[in-house]
Amino acid sequence: MSPLARWCHRHRLAVVLAWVGLLLALGAGVGAVGNDFGNSPTSQNTDSAKATALLQQASNSAAGKSGRVVWQLKDGKVSEPVAERSMTEALRHIADAPGVAAVTSPYAPEGKGQVSKDGGTAYATVAFDENVSDPQIDHVKELATAPESGSLHIALNGQAFTVNPKPNAVADAMGIVLAFIVLLFVFRAVWVAALPIITAVVGVGTSAVAVMLLSHAITLSDTTLTLGSLIGLGVGIDYALFIVNRQRANLMAGMGVAESTTKALNTSGRAVLFAGLTVVVALLGMLTLNVGIINGMAIGAAVTVVLTVLAAITLLPALLGMIGTRILSRAERREQAGPAVRPSTDRPGLWGRWAARVQAHPKALGLVALAVLTALAFPTLSLRLGASDDGNLPTTSTNRQAYDMIADGFGPGFNGPLVLAVQAPSAADQAARTKLVAALEQVDGVASATASPMGEGQTVGVISVVPTTSPQSADTSDLIHHLRDDVIPGAEQGTSMKVYVGGLTASNDDFASVLMSKLPLFVLVIAALGFLLLTVAFRSLLIPAVGALLNILSIGVAFGAIVVVFQYGFGAGLLGLGAAGPIESFVPILVVGIMFGLSMDYQVFLVSRMREEWAHTGDSRRAIRVGQAETGKVIAVAATIMVCVFGSFVFGGMRVISEFGVSLAVAVAVDALLIRMVVVPALMHLCGRANWWLPRSLDKALPHVSVEGPVDEPAQPHPAVREPETVGVADRVR
């Protein structure tokens, strides 16, 4: 890392201009071609996927997107002449609009069931062609809402009309401002607060335009950018802070700016590079799940982390060269310019005193911390994956308004009907289909079952099943499994008829089931990967084993937080996060990858400093205490910054991103303050010299990676950990 640091310092203006040029060039590319984000949560080889494929093969309109136009008369019935005339005219225009396959009006004979029993609410279904474009859907929205008046309220919902909340730029800005305030308050120097933020913003901004271009090559969800900003700002500011903190320490020790920058990058810069690598490896490890939407998010987030790390080890050294000693506060610069010999103090600081306390009471403090962590992770046992419905949206949303109107007039299940694709090639099969409809109407949890007419020569039919419960309800999920496991097999017996349960509600349920089945194995794989990386980094077996187990515990805390807030609903209303519901299916998988990387970051920064001291002195107790004392402040500040950044996204207006924000903010705070500052040093004190043991045969087989940098000078005594005498390497050998 030293040659890179020296080059970036000498050519600092060129490095800064290169980053600006890269950002402008990528931005110009986005301006020319835009982006191509899309969402496709459907899993392969599931019942719902087979239903969709069967309907597409039969060219059935049910295979395309569909939506509902819902209207309600404030005082009266929708059958009144004025309301009927205006809505019939609007539906006629919609039927003639490009991209529309069919419109079913409640005023037509086949739509008589689309008027509520009290006559105050009605809806029309709009089925679109498979290749309908967004502008065509927007045109239909305009036609549908045109008749709205003071007495006639119109709202839209359904898959085609779903409006995804846009990322809130205020959330990004709030996180950045809070991070700046924290840094300024702790270090009392404007440039210490500004440089990590500048570095992170440049890295995230560059990655954002890069991901937009990448969306043309691979399938990326439209939440990828927001997720990338959430991760990139958090890790980017932290990574830069670790290097800046080392730069400040080097300058205060009397080094010149160039020498200090080289030393900072060759020590903390190495740790940043290794930590960033672990995050990227964890994110790309999600590709083994082979789920399209997860793959895209993982790649997008990995690109963001790569570019933020690259900014930290190239742009930041250049900026440090430009700023010089102004990275220190005025008081620190005056102190540095004072006499060469200054009176020392043996008074330990806050983190030095805490490190000594942990050393004195490792068993008691470790057990208390583990008990708290276990309690926080306990709600994970009731984790339920799924997809939130429009009932979780703000009441000002047209989707939420249509959802409430449908639920009040027809029942909550009308917001998520199940679409059964029926393969019935013979007359006997079609008769069996009719019997199936009658059987479905008798099933508990089914409000209604309706079969669409099959034309002459058609072999695929559609049965629409309306549950009595909402799409996100656990009862609806139970109904789907009951139909597949009990009702449908009985109807198929003795016939060649094949029935597949599909539709958006079933598709979301299948997607959740697929991911839930893969989650335990993924956690174990990630833990094993963490064990391997830490073994290579620290030449130890015990430290990686403890780190891997504690990483799983911190992930459990993250899951516990989102279960309590989003699934149980505690505090969700106060935070404006909607009603209680299932956790979005892909959130836990991504949280595992992200939290694994972030936990590894703090483990690397903490233990690398311990190992550095161990290599200097050979005294395990001193190494643990010094490492904790000297990294405690910066880890606490870094965790506070991450909590500010992640927490700001909770209020961004997107439920999925809010789930990430809550889980990561809580987990990072707990991981840094309880796991890294209590449990890890407590266990290491109890294990003593065994922390650094590695079989010779394994030591020879593993590649040598120096995370803490070369051991080229004796350790400087730290006022927080100064002892009357130090056990050196020679004493350890004797």
Side-chain angles (χ1 to χ4, degrees):
M1 298 291 285
S2 297
L4 176 63
R6 285 191 287 267
W7 191 93
C8 291
H9 180 80
R10 285 197 304 267
H11 304 89
R12 44 191 177 270
L13 181 59
V15 172
V16 172
L17 292 177
W19 273 98
V20 173
L22 176 62
L23 183 58
L24 292 177
L26 292 173
V30 171
V33 300
N35 64 70
D36 189 23
F37 293 118
N39 294 297
S40 180
T42 303
S43 303
Q44 298 177 347
N45 299 321
T46 61
D47 211 53
S48 58
K50 293 174 182 177
T52 300
L54 187 60
L55 293 172
Q56 289 174 341
Q57 184 180 2
S59 299
N60 195 300
S61 62
K65 291 182 179 179
S66 64
R68 282 190 179 132
V69 181
V70 188
W71 60 95
Q72 196 173 58
L73 216 56
K74 184 174 293 186
D75 296 310
K77 298 182 182 297
V78 295
S79 58
E80 292 181 4
V82 175
E84 182 173 347
R85 185 167 54 250
S86 59
M87 291 309 302
T88 299
E89 183 70 10
L91 295 177
R92 185 178 63 82
H93 289 306
I94 292 174
D96 294 335
V100 175
V103 175
T104 305
S105 169
Y107 302 119
E110 63 271 18
K112 61 181 180 180
Q114 296 170 201
V115 178
S116 62
K117 291 182 179 179
D118 62 5
T121 306
Y123 70 90
T125 58
V126 181
F128 290 92
D129 294 331
E130 185 179 349
N131 298 319
V132 66
S133 64
D134 289 340
Q136 290 172 336
I137 293 178
D138 291 337
H139 177 57
V140 170
K141 290 180 182 179
E142 295 175 1
L143 295 174
T145 55
E148 185 162 15
S149 63
S151 59
L152 182 63
H153 180 46
I154 302 173
L156 311 174
N157 75 345
Q159 182 184 13
F161 295 141
T162 295
V163 179
N164 293 317
K166 299 298 181 183
N168 190 349
V170 176
D172 293 29
M174 185 177 12
I176 292 172
V177 170
L178 290 174
F180 181 83
I181 292 173
V182 169
L183 289 170
L184 189 61
F185 176 78
V186 173
F187 293 102
R188 312 287 181 175
V190 173
W191 283 113
V192 177
L195 282 188
I197 292 174
I198 292 172
T199 305
V201 168
V202 171
V204 170
T206 305
S207 65
V209 288
V211 167
M212 289 182 189
L213 293 176
L214 188 62
S215 67
H216 291 278
I218 61 176
T219 301
L220 295 177
S221 166
D222 52 12
T223 60
T224 302
L225 277 183
T226 307
L227 180 62
S229 297
L230 183 148
I231 299 170
L233 286 175
V235 301
I237 294 174
D238 276 12
Y239 290 167
L241 174 61
F242 282 115
I243 295 175
V244 166
N245 188 64
R246 194 63 176 245
Q247 172 85 346
R248 285 165 44 80
N250 293 340
L251 290 174
M252 289 299 295
M255 293 185 186
V257 174
E259 181 188 4
S260 173
T261 304
T262 302
K263 182 70 175 177
L265 204 62
N266 206 33
T267 51
S268 294
R270 285 173 177 262
V272 164
L273 188 60
F274 185 83
L277 175 64
T278 62
V279 177
V280 171
V281 169
L283 290 170
L284 294 183
M286 299 180 201
L287 299 180
T288 59
L289 299 174
N290 195 28
V291 178
I293 191 172
I294 298 291
N295 292 349
M297 287 185 174
I299 292 173
V303 168
T304 302
V305 174
V306 167
L307 286 172
T308 53
V309 170
L310 190 60
I313 62 175
T314 58
L315 176 63
L316 182 58
L319 294 175
L320 288 172
M322 291 180 172
I323 299 304
T325 58
R326 284 176 293 172
I327 197 68
L328 302 174
S329 66
R330 291 183 179 180
E332 289 169 334
R333 291 201 296 273
R334 286 195 298 268
E335 181 182 354
Q336 187 190 36
V341 178
R342 291 181 293 274
S344 61
T345 175
D346 289 330
R347 186 181 64 179
L350 170 64
W351 293 105
R353 293 194 298 272
W354 179 248
R357 179 165 297 182
V358 173
Q359 179 182 349
H361 309 285
K363 289 183 180 179
L365 291 175
L367 287 174
V368 170
L370 285 173
V372 172
L373 291 167
T374 303
L376 292 174
F378 184 76
T380 302
L381 298 177
S382 59
L383 175 69
R384 183 172 75 87
L385 302 186
S388 58
D389 55 31
D390 288 348
N392 294 110
L393 296 176
T395 54
T396 55
S397 165
T398 182
N399 299 77
R400 171 63 184 274
Q401 293 169 10
Y403 180 95
D404 291 340
M405 290 160 62
I406 288 289
D408 292 340
F410 301 91
F414 269 76
N415 285 296
L418 307 177
V419 180
L420 275 58
V422 183
Q423 196 169 20
S426 66
D429 294 334
Q430 294 180 18
R433 171 175 170 265
T434 303
K435 291 180 180 179
L436 174 60
V437 174
L440 289 169
E441 291 179 336
Q442 304 302 316
V443 174
D444 289 339
V446 173
S448 65
T450 308
S452 300
M454 291 179 63
E456 187 176 353
Q458 273 190 311
T459 59
V460 177
V462 177
I463 300 175
S464 178
V465 176
V466 177
T468 57
T469 50
S470 68
Q472 69 175 5
S473 171
D475 292 333
T476 302
S477 179
D478 292 339
L479 174 62
I480 293 171
H481 295 292
H482 176 52
L483 295 181
R484 289 172 174 169
D485 298 339
D486 304 316
V487 179
I488 292 175
E492 291 176 336
Q493 191 172 9
T495 71
S496 58
M497 180 181 68
K498 294 295 181 183
V499 183
Y500 304 99
V501 181
L504 183 60
T505 301
S507 177
N508 288 334
D509 189 75
D510 287 343
F511 186 62
S513 297
V514 168
L515 292 185
M516 194 67 180
S517 66
K518 295 182 177 183
L519 184 59
L521 178 60
F522 183 60
V523 171
L524 292 177
V525 169
I526 286 293
L529 182 62
F531 176 84
L532 178 61
L533 289 173
L534 290 178
T535 300
V536 172
F538 299 124
R539 324 302 294 177
S540 164
L541 289 180
L542 188 60
I543 291 174
V546 170
L549 292 175
L550 292 178
N551 283 354
I552 294 177
L553 191 55
S554 67
I555 290 169
V557 170
F559 288 177
I562 53 177
V563 167
V564 169
V565 175
F566 293 92
Q567 190 172 313
Y568 296 167
F570 293 145
L574 295 176
L575 297 174
L577 301 177
I583 307 304
E584 300 298 327
S585 304
F586 53 83
V587 167
I589 293 289
L590 286 166
V591 167
V592 168
I594 296 167
M595 201 57 221
F596 162 78
L598 299 183
S599 299
M600 287 280 287
D601 284 356
Y602 293 139
Q603 184 80 347
V604 166
F605 291 125
L606 173 66
V607 180
S608 63
R609 183 63 189 93
M610 292 177 177
R611 176 157 177 81
E612 183 181 355
E613 190 69 20
W614 162 258
H616 286 316
T617 67
D619 185 342
S620 180
R621 293 170 63 83
R622 173 184 169 83
I624 297 166
R625 192 170 59 256
V626 167
Q628 183 180 2
E630 293 191 358
T631 60
K633 177 181 178 180
V634 71
I635 287 178
V637 173
T640 303
I641 290 171
M642 278 202 180
V643 170
C644 291
V645 172
F646 294 156
S648 67
F649 281 83
V650 174
F651 307 97
M654 301 174 68
R655 183 179 175 90
V656 172
I657 298 301
S658 296
E659 290 177 4
F660 282 117
V662 168
S663 60
L664 294 177
V666 172
V668 164
V670 169
D671 187 275
L673 299 180
L674 283 182
I675 293 181
R676 308 304 154 189
M677 289 294 104
V678 181
V679 178
V680 169
L683 291 176
M684 291 181 70
H685 278 303
L686 292 174
C687 295
R689 293 164 56 89
N691 289 308
W692 316 105
W693 177 79
L694 184 71
R696 290 186 178 180
S697 58
L698 187 58
D699 185 47
K700 293 180 180 179
L702 292 175
H704 285 264
V705 177
S706 177
V707 176
E708 67 278 359
V711 182
D712 53 5
E713 60 184 36
Q716 298 297 321
H718 190 277
V721 293
R722 184 170 285 119
E723 299 175 313
E725 60 183 51
T726 302
V727 180
V729 176
D731 298 321
R732 174 168 56 91
V733 173
R734 286 199 297 268

